[in-house]
Amino acid sequence: MVLIVGGAGYIGSHTVKELHKKGHEILVLDNLVHGHKEFLKWGKFVNADLENIKQLRSIFKKYPITSVMHFASYINVGESVTDPKKYYINNVTNTLNLLNVMIEYSVRHFIFSSTCATYGTPVSIPIDENHPQNPINPYGQSKLMIEKIIEDYSNAYDFSYVSLRYFNASGADQDGEIGEWHNPETHLIPIVLDAAINKRDSIEIYGTDYDTPDGTCIRDYIHVTDLADAHIKALEFLESGEKSTAFNIGTENGYTVREIIEKTIEITKREIKVVETGRREGDATTLISKSTKIKDTLKWEPQHSSLNEIIQSAWNWHKKLNKIE
Ligand code: UFG
């Protein structure tokens, strides 16, 4: 049985759906603080918090868990700067609780949701897995700390892991059953879609004086279903006895903020008011992955990550979520 911690969240729920399609036995653990009960469609569910070690022990005792995928974390970079305690307690201490209970119960495989934010300000583009990891905010630090801890754990205990360093997760399930639903929302595509449906007045572009062709930041947008598929391949990789490692997951292509807005206008056929404002603190100019390692090792290829499919699927979901015809 695979335990999916944070399985009621954005990337977790998409991975749960793909695991279910492949016939895996699933247990979702979520405290439903940011996860959505509406996303609990597949497998068994337990409402629990990683803070509670006793509760964790009883779950590992009750269910025949053989692998864990860990999606639950706080992800708001700005908030991590103003409230680092929240990030270190949730993303580090609570993950340590999970790891320690896993080891007590001899659970051997761990798939960890890491991030390109662990690289910090890039010194070279595209970014491969050997790029130095110097995070520039507590969010990225908290993810890197867990990467280091699981490396030490795997050296000392009978335990293997894959850290998946996501670039910009985006898009939604092709069937429209689940999608991106954060509160508050800070990510570009759902905010642009909010502006398209007049839920927000406008989209603010954070900085137009970057050293890029149109002055706005470049990101590597990867469809959430492609991320989900990478998790399943990583799980099979560990189950077949392969060694612990880390992989980037991105498309190796970048789009500017303006390109995202233009494509959204084209797909939604709606007017979107754009306001140009100053830079957001902590934003890197360009983040583009080199994802050769995961392609070669796991035979993974993005299948849904054209900008069209990303924005079309996000739009379909956004309309459904906001009850728009
Ligand atoms: N942006 C705007 N206006 C907005 C929102 C975003 O111009 O209203 C710009 C940002 O400045 C950035 C780009 O759009 O240039 C993408 O921003 P997102 O907030 O959508 O995503 P980030 O690139 O900041 O994502 C980063 C890391 C992820 C990490 C995430 C945490 O790349 O790994 O922060 O939420 F998970």
Side-chain angles (χ1 to χ4, degrees):
M1 175 177 255
V2 188
L3 178 71
I4 296 100
V5 180
Y10 174 41
I11 305 168
S13 62
H14 285 78
T15 305
V16 168
K17 179 169 179 178
E18 296 307 308
L19 281 165
H20 174 80
K21 278 195 205 161
K22 293 245 149 105
H24 287 271
E25 228 194 314
I26 298 159
L27 177 64
V28 172
L29 185 160
D30 205 295
N31 62 10
L32 298 180
V33 170
H34 290 287
H36 305 285
K37 62 180 183 325
E38 294 84 347
F39 287 0
L40 299 169
K41 294 170 187 279
W42 305 279
K44 294 196 168 81
F45 169 64
V46 53
N47 187 334
D49 202 299
L50 297 183
E51 212 174 55
N52 188 337
I53 298 178
K54 260 192 178 167
Q55 195 182 25
L56 279 180
R57 286 199 176 109
S58 71
I59 294 164
F60 278 80
K61 196 168 173 195
K62 181 167 174 194
Y63 295 97
I65 298 164
T66 49
S67 308
V68 174
M69 293 189 180
H70 180 34
F71 295 91
S73 75
Y74 292 137
I75 59 163
N76 188 330
V77 173
E79 184 187 51
S80 80
V81 176
T82 54
D83 193 1
K85 180 166 60 113
K86 179 173 173 181
Y87 280 71
Y88 289 122
I89 290 175
N90 187 63
N91 295 5
V92 182
T93 310
N94 290 352
T95 301
L96 261 178
N97 291 344
L98 172 65
L99 288 166
N100 292 340
V101 175
M102 275 179 63
I103 284 168
E104 276 176 40
Y105 285 85
S106 307
V107 177
R108 295 185 45 221
H109 306 310
F110 188 65
I111 314 280
F112 179 56
S113 298
S114 190
T115 167
C116 64
T118 59
Y119 294 117
T121 308
V123 293
S124 56
I125 300 283
I127 300 168
D128 71 13
E129 289 83 355
N130 296 319
H131 185 287
Q133 286 181 290
N134 293 311
I136 54 169
N137 50 60
Y139 165 70
Q141 290 282 15
S142 71
K143 291 287 184 177
L144 182 58
M145 284 175 185
I146 295 299
E147 283 203 16
K148 301 282 187 205
I149 290 168
I150 55 184
E151 198 180 325
D152 291 341
Y153 272 42
S154 78
N155 289 332
Y157 311 123
D158 187 13
F159 165 87
S160 64
Y161 71 85
V162 167
S163 287
L164 295 173
R165 298 180 189 146
Y166 312 155
F167 281 66
N168 287 56
S170 51
D173 169 46
Q174 281 70 17
D175 308 322
E177 292 189 279
I178 44 181
E180 192 162 10
W181 183 7
H182 294 120
N183 196 7
E185 188 52 79
T186 60
H187 294 100
L188 178 65
I189 294 173
I191 290 182
V192 178
L193 292 171
D194 274 347
I197 62 170
N198 293 322
K199 199 169 156 186
R200 287 172 200 251
D201 207 40
S202 61
I203 167 76
E204 288 183 32
I205 300 184
Y206 298 146
T208 54
D209 60 348
Y210 285 98
D211 184 17
T212 61
D214 66 20
T216 65
C217 290
I218 295 176
R219 293 290 179 273
D220 181 342
Y221 295 90
I222 177 80
H223 195 287
V224 64
T225 304
D226 287 330
L227 283 178
D229 180 42
H231 284 77
I232 292 163
K233 291 193 160 69
L235 177 65
E236 288 165 355
F237 175 78
L238 291 182
E239 284 175 347
S240 69
E242 295 289 342
K243 279 212 187 79
S244 300
T245 193
F247 296 110
N248 283 345
I249 326 183
T251 63
E252 311 189 303
N253 271 316
Y255 293 99
T256 67
V257 174
R258 286 194 209 278
E259 285 172 325
I260 297 292
I261 297 170
E262 277 156 24
K263 182 56 83 178
T264 309
I265 293 171
E266 182 192 314
I267 285 178
T268 61
K269 300 184 181 63
R270 291 182 178 231
E271 276 177 36
I272 295 175
K273 187 172 163 207
V274 175
V275 175
E276 296 183 1
T277 62
R279 292 183 175 197
R280 181 172 70 177
E281 210 186 326
D283 270 340
T285 306
T286 301
L287 293 173
I288 296 176
S289 73
K290 186 155 175 57
S291 298
T292 323
K293 185 177 170 189
I294 189 168
K295 288 180 179 173
D296 291 348
T297 315
L298 299 188
K299 308 291 170 231
W300 170 89
E301 278 292 334
Q303 306 287 336
H304 303 283
S305 292
S306 69
L307 194 56
N308 260 319
E309 188 165 346
I310 285 175
I311 295 185
Q312 185 67 58
S313 62
W315 175 227
N316 294 346
W317 163 252
H318 211 76
K319 282 190 286 189
K320 186 170 171 185
L321 184 64
N322 291 284
K323 301 181 173 58
I324 307 269
E325 284 312 307

